Amino acid sequence: YEIRALAWRVPSANWPIREATLAMAPKKSTYAPANYGSVAEALVGLYGEKVRGAEQQMLFDRFTTSLLTDAELLAKPMVLLLGQYSAGKTTFIRYLAGRDFPGIHIGPEPTTDGFAALMDGTSPTPIPGNAATADKRRPFRALSRHGAAFLNKFCISELRCDLTKELTLIDTPGILAGSKQTMGRNYDFAEIVKWFAERSDLILLLFDAHKIDISDELKTVIESLHQHDEKMRLVLNKADALTTEEIMHVYGGTMWFLGKVFKTPEVKRSYMSSFWDKPLRNPELERFMSEERERLLADLYALPAGARTRKVNEFIKRVRKGRAHCLVFNHLRRSMPSMMGKAKAKERLLSTLPDEFRKVAQQANVPLNDFPNPYEYAQTLATYDLSKLPKASKETLQLYEDVIERDLPGIMQHFTSTPGAPPPSASSLQPDGELRGWLHKQATSGKWQRRCFALREGTLEYYRRPEEPKPSGALDLAGCRAKPRPESDRPFTIRIETRERPYHLAAASGDEMSEWLLCLQHHCSRGESG
């Protein structure tokens, strides 16, 4: 016995056919957050059905960051460790893990000369970069674009411990000073750090309390991560060997140095201790430093609890950047002459790109912070004919607006709502708390029938017409189970399992599906408790 709603489908963007891009035919959208079991899975569906095609069409990955993979969206929370050499990053990781891990090498000289991801697993040897980026199950496939020079300096170390069951830790090369800081690196260190930062839930900047200094490369890296300012935390390591007076001077000097780099009045949250498995050597501050250790561990173990909110936050950032990218492309195309003087017009536009960004932001009423770094953007634009940049259609721009204004709030609403509490915009919720709306049901013959449904006090009733005094049928929800049915041949379907047989409902949109599913689940669970 199948019940379905009259489903209308929202058309996604009509991708224009153009040179060097894949022609995409218009298609109907069947995306609904209720079809997924978690926020991460819903983001995978939303990105694959709506956002990825727009990013490919508009060359978003060539100008900003790589396209997302399913594994990246489904990955565990990631913690990125940055710092100059001898700051104790590898020792810090061993302290967190509780024991050695494959490929570990600790010494007073710069010992970590590559990137290492510490993940849950049992491999006795490090997994080299080429193999790590070829695995679709891991969130590192996009790193293959950086070439062999980087992949030879990247590996995955697997370890079974409490921390790796919840998190992935990223160890990075120590940042050196002077000419040593770029010597021998045949890959873009800052660009790779930026890639990891975009996908990290927390960024820890480690400093050796004995030698506080910020090299030019570290300063450049920190400045490039200004969009992830809220993720950054400071760790003053090896502090137990200093006297209390020395620690006060070191802390003040570090905050002064970093204040010039971050260029914000807010003080970063910091942890001050010695993060290794040896006893603390400053008895006067032993209690304080022990508490600092415990506080850091507590903050790390708390990351999974807030992971879904951070994933949505990062996804919103990305979509807003994509919208700004589309607006910039359209503006640059319009600003180019149709015949003569293209070279001069391009030179003028690239030289005044920050001003052009401000114009676009003002005209479209979009925050300027959504736009990329204009100087890096101009370097990439220099290799393109601005008059032949892909054009973002009205449908594409509307798609971005829908994702920002409707789809992403819908995900949070569905996965954070109390069952039985429909979205505030639900038009079918009556003043008395009854949920009403038109749905289609499928009879045993296979014929679809449009009926008006009413859900109240644990009973689902349906009518041929809303004004009828008695329902045509009713279903007692006590002991039933309501869940999505994404495998259905029609979108927005809900399956109601009863003792006798399953019933199926289909809503007209993803939002309505979430509304009905949450209320049905609430009434089903209320019947069980009763």
Side-chain angles (χ1 to χ4, degrees):
Y1 193 124
E2 293 235 355
I3 304 173
R4 285 200 173 282
L6 179 63
W8 58 267
R9 300 183 183 182
V10 181
S12 57
N14 295 325
W15 316 120
I17 300 176
R18 60 180 183 79
E19 186 179 355
T21 59
L22 180 66
M24 304 182 67
K27 63 178 183 178
K28 302 292 185 180
S29 172
T30 60
Y31 169 79
N35 279 329
Y36 302 93
S38 68
V39 168
E41 291 174 1
L43 291 177
V44 170
L46 178 61
Y47 183 75
E49 182 165 336
K50 293 190 174 183
V51 181
R52 184 183 179 90
E55 290 185 351
Q56 287 177 317
Q57 177 205 354
M58 298 304 298
L59 310 181
F60 181 77
D61 56 319
R62 302 186 191 180
F63 283 79
T64 52
T65 186
S66 59
L67 300 175
L68 289 173
T69 64
D70 292 357
E72 290 176 44
L73 290 168
L74 296 172
K76 296 176 182 177
M78 189 179 296
V79 179
L80 176 64
L81 279 71
L82 293 172
Q84 300 186 170
Y85 84 95
S86 193
K89 295 188 299 298
T90 306
T91 304
F92 177 82
I93 292 177
R94 183 174 67 175
Y95 168 76
L96 296 178
R99 55 192 177 93
D100 291 347
F101 53 88
I104 187 173
H105 183 197
I106 298 174
E109 75 283 2
T111 55
T112 303
D113 64 346
F115 290 77
L118 186 65
M119 307 182 73
D120 186 44
T122 57
S123 175
T125 59
I127 302 171
N130 285 286
T133 55
D135 191 343
K136 293 183 179 180
R137 300 168 301 172
R138 301 185 187 275
F140 305 118
R141 296 200 73 196
L143 290 173
S144 60
R145 65 187 286 189
H146 293 285
F150 165 72
L151 295 179
N152 291 334
K153 296 293 185 181
F154 174 63
C155 71
I156 293 177
S157 295
E158 292 189 339
L159 177 68
R160 279 284 162 85
C161 67
D162 292 340
L163 193 65
T164 55
K165 290 179 182 178
E166 305 290 339
L167 307 171
T168 295
L169 300 173
I170 306 298
D171 194 8
T172 60
I175 299 175
L176 307 177
S179 61
K180 296 179 181 179
Q181 60 191 29
T182 55
M183 188 181 299
R185 283 186 183 156
N186 297 320
Y187 57 86
D188 192 334
F189 177 82
E191 186 65 25
I192 292 169
V193 168
K194 183 179 177 181
W195 186 92
F196 277 111
E198 288 172 349
R199 290 152 179 82
S200 294
D201 295 73
L202 188 66
I203 303 172
L204 295 179
L205 294 176
L206 275 77
F207 295 93
D208 184 345
H210 291 268
K211 42 186 176 184
I212 296 297
D213 184 24
I214 298 180
S215 66
D216 293 339
E217 188 178 30
L218 180 58
K219 181 178 179 180
T220 301
V221 168
I222 293 175
E223 289 175 342
S224 69
L225 302 181
H226 71 279
Q227 292 184 331
H228 310 286
D229 190 67
E230 77 283 356
K231 300 180 183 179
M232 291 190 185
R233 303 289 185 272
L234 308 180
V235 178
L236 284 176
N237 199 13
K238 305 181 183 180
D240 67 329
L242 301 177
T243 65
T244 303
E245 184 179 356
E246 289 172 334
I247 287 176
M248 296 299 292
H249 285 293
V250 166
Y251 180 79
T254 304
M255 293 300 107
W256 182 81
F257 268 117
L258 294 177
K260 297 174 63 177
V261 177
F262 285 116
K263 298 177 182 179
T264 57
E266 296 84 4
V267 177
K268 296 296 174 187
R269 187 171 183 179
S270 61
Y271 309 90
M272 184 184 299
S273 187
S274 289
F275 297 92
W276 58 357
D277 54 4
K278 297 182 180 180
L280 296 171
R281 292 171 288 182
N282 186 331
E284 189 176 359
L285 293 176
E286 181 177 359
R287 178 181 175 182
F288 167 76
M289 292 188 178
S290 297
E291 291 175 351
E292 289 285 275
R293 286 178 171 180
E294 294 174 1
R295 187 160 62 94
L296 175 56
L297 285 172
D299 290 347
L300 289 175
Y301 279 107
L303 284 177
R308 68 181 184 181
T309 303
R310 285 188 295 272
K311 283 184 182 292
V312 172
N313 184 56
E314 290 302 310
F315 199 92
I316 291 175
K317 285 184 183 179
R318 183 185 184 95
V319 174
R320 294 175 74 94
K321 286 181 182 178
R323 178 181 62 181
H325 174 76
C326 292
L327 293 170
V328 168
F329 267 28
N330 286 358
H331 174 75
L332 294 176
R333 283 173 56 94
R334 290 193 302 267
S335 302
M336 290 292 290
S338 57
M339 297 291 292
M340 306 294 292
K342 289 187 177 182
K344 289 186 178 179
K346 177 180 178 180
E347 182 180 358
R348 175 183 57 80
L349 287 170
L350 296 185
S351 63
T352 60
L353 200 56
D355 295 331
E356 303 302 322
F357 281 6
R358 282 189 282 271
K359 289 180 186 177
V360 175
Q362 186 175 12
Q363 292 170 0
N365 195 26
V366 172
L368 189 59
N369 288 337
D370 291 352
F371 291 75
N373 184 307
Y375 305 104
E376 295 177 359
Y377 203 80
Q379 291 178 357
T380 307
L381 280 173
T383 62
Y384 287 83
D385 182 348
L386 301 190
S387 63
K388 295 182 179 180
L389 291 173
K391 179 182 178 181
S393 64
K394 292 182 179 179
E395 291 81 5
T396 300
L397 293 173
Q398 186 60 48
L399 179 146
Y400 275 107
E401 293 294 335
D402 289 344
V403 171
I404 294 170
E405 300 296 334
R406 188 184 67 191
D407 294 326
L408 288 169
I411 288 176
M412 293 305 295
Q413 176 69 40
H414 179 77
F415 289 101
T416 60
S417 290
T418 302
S425 59
S427 58
S428 52
L429 185 65
Q430 303 302 309
D432 59 359
E434 177 182 317
L435 188 63
R436 298 175 188 170
W438 286 98
L439 302 170
H440 266 183
K441 70 181 184 70
Q442 188 180 34
T444 53
S445 63
K447 183 179 179 180
W448 295 101
Q449 300 171 329
R450 188 170 185 258
R451 296 291 183 263
C452 181
F453 281 79
L455 175 62
R456 57 174 175 267
E457 297 180 356
T459 302
L460 180 65
E461 302 172 344
Y462 64 89
Y463 303 78
R464 292 177 182 272
R465 292 180 296 274
E467 63 272 14
E468 288 183 346
K470 294 183 179 181
S472 301
L475 179 63
D476 184 1
L477 296 176
C480 297
R481 183 185 178 193
K483 63 181 183 179
R485 190 172 184 256
E487 69 274 11
S488 174
D489 59 347
R490 297 250 183 165
F492 317 128
T493 303
I494 300 170
R495 179 183 179 91
I496 303 177
E497 297 177 346
T498 70
R499 295 183 179 90
E500 292 78 21
R501 61 177 180 266
Y503 295 80
H504 294 92
L505 302 166
S509 67
D511 290 342
E512 288 187 16
M513 179 184 177
S514 293
E515 176 186 343
W516 277 96
L517 181 60
L518 289 171
C519 287
L520 285 167
Q521 289 174 338
H522 171 70
H523 283 266
C524 289
S525 62
R526 189 170 64 179
E528 290 178 357
S529 62

